[in-house]
Each structure stands twice: as C-alpha cells, then as structure tokens.
Amino acid sequence: MSIVKFNQDSPLQKIKASFLDDTIELTPKQKEVKEQIRFAFTLRLKNKYSPSQAVEFLQKEYGCSQATAYRIYQKAMYVFGEIDKTDIKAEKVVLREHYFNLYQLALKDKDIELAKKILDSYRELFDFNIKENDIDEGKLKAHEYRIVIDKEVRTVMREQFKTGVVDFNAYPNVEDIEFKEVDGEEEG
C-alpha cells in the first residue's frame, strides 16, 4: 500500500470545506456547484424527496441531463453524508425510546405479559445474536499483494506502452484463467 500526498484539495473537497469555513474563496464555477449541492440536499432533507425524485427535480431546475443530475446528487451525499443511513439510525433511536416508555407503562400497570412482548419487539430492533468471537479479524486487516512480472513481459510492456496500444495476447507465457464474479460480500 502506498500513501499519496496531495499538494492541494480537489475542487469538491474545497467546496465541502467552504460549508464549514466561510473564508474559503471559491471560483464562480465552484460557487455554482456548491449551490447545486445545497439544493440537492435540501430536496432530500426538507422536502423529503426520494433520491430518484430529487434527481428528476434537479434535471428540471438546472436543465441538465440525468447523468449530470445524478452527479450533483452524489456530490451532495459526499458533502453532507448519506441521508438514508442517518435516517435509519435516527429511527432506531426514536423507536428505542418509545419501546422503553411503553415497557415502563406496562410494568407500572403490572401487565407482565405485555412488558415481555414489548421487550421481544425491542430485541428484534437490534441484532444481539452477533458475538465478538464471530468477527473474522483477518478480513479487517490490510493486505499487501506483490505482483512479480517476468523480464520478458516487462520488455514487451515497455515497448507496447511506447505505442499506446496494449495487446495482452502478445505477452509471453500468458494464459487465460477462469474467474468468478463476486457481487457484494464474499462468502467464506
């Protein structure tokens, strides 16, 4: 793994920082993007639009293509955070409080059966079945892979890079191998 040092922020990082620090000067184009980002996030947060509704509205408002509207939306989620993930966590907190209040009322009324049902519903809200020992620490560690290339292959690569066209079939000792597409999490 190598560490890359950037000499300056990307335009999007600069825009993100400008939401926290008003002294950061933005170019006119960056100011326009900042306004688009603010507008897209407002559509989601205050107007409660779904992601697809927000994209449609962005297309109408800015007269842009669907791809551009999706880019604006993605920038907004990068700058402010994915709102759907935040909503789920917030809803769990609210549900937890309501379950606790209901549980207290049931105990106060000495309705033990109802209190047990409330606790069962509360337990379903969280996954208490995960044990610390079930976590595979090997998946959490960073892995370093070293790729060793033959001298012959390096020579062919250098020659092909000069022309700009790379033909992997021209490499010596290269063979096709089977592979398996992996979607999402690997099963282990």
Side-chain angles (χ1 to χ4, degrees), residues 106-120:
L107 284 181
K108 187 176 182 181
D109 293 341
K110 297 183 182 181
D111 190 347
I112 303 300
E113 194 60 37
L114 179 61
K116 183 185 177 316
K117 287 180 183 178
I118 293 170
L119 284 178
D120 288 341

Side-chain angles (χ1 to χ4, degrees), residues 19-71:
F19 279 102
L20 300 173
D21 185 0
D22 292 334
T23 61
I24 295 175
E25 291 188 32
L26 301 175
T27 65
K29 178 65 177 165
Q30 289 172 339
K31 287 179 184 177
E32 180 184 338
V33 172
K34 181 178 178 178
E35 188 54 40
Q36 291 172 345
I37 289 170
R38 181 183 287 125
F39 184 71
F41 191 72
T42 302
L43 288 174
R44 287 298 319 273
L45 186 63
K46 292 188 178 174
N47 296 353
K48 304 294 184 197
Y49 281 30
S50 71
S52 60
Q53 289 172 325
V55 167
E56 283 180 32
F57 202 87
L58 287 168
Q59 282 180 269
K60 290 176 188 170
E61 181 70 20
Y62 293 110
C64 60
S65 69
Q66 186 179 28
T68 302
Y70 270 106
R71 280 193 293 275

Side-chain angles (χ1 to χ4, degrees), residues 23 25 33 53 78 83 141 162 176 188:
T23 61
E25 291 188 32
V33 172
Q53 289 172 325
Y78 167 76
I83 200 165
K141 292 181 182 175
K162 289 178 186 174
D176 287 332

Side-chain angles (χ1 to χ4, degrees), residues 89-144:
K89 289 180 182 178
E91 286 176 18
K92 279 189 175 184
V93 169
V94 171
L95 278 173
R96 184 182 331 154
E97 289 180 20
H98 286 302
Y99 276 128
F100 185 72
N101 290 337
L102 289 172
Y103 174 71
Q104 287 179 324
L105 290 172
L107 284 181
K108 187 176 182 181
D109 293 341
K110 297 183 182 181
D111 190 347
I112 303 300
E113 194 60 37
L114 179 61
K116 183 185 177 316
K117 287 180 183 178
I118 293 170
L119 284 178
D120 288 341
S121 298
Y122 178 83
R123 186 182 70 233
E124 289 174 8
L125 187 61
F126 304 96
D127 190 3
F128 291 113
N129 295 329
I130 297 176
K131 298 176 186 170
E132 288 184 31
N133 296 339
D134 291 345
I135 297 173
D136 183 7
E137 292 181 23
K139 289 184 179 179
L140 300 176
K141 292 181 182 175
H143 298 284
E144 185 176 317

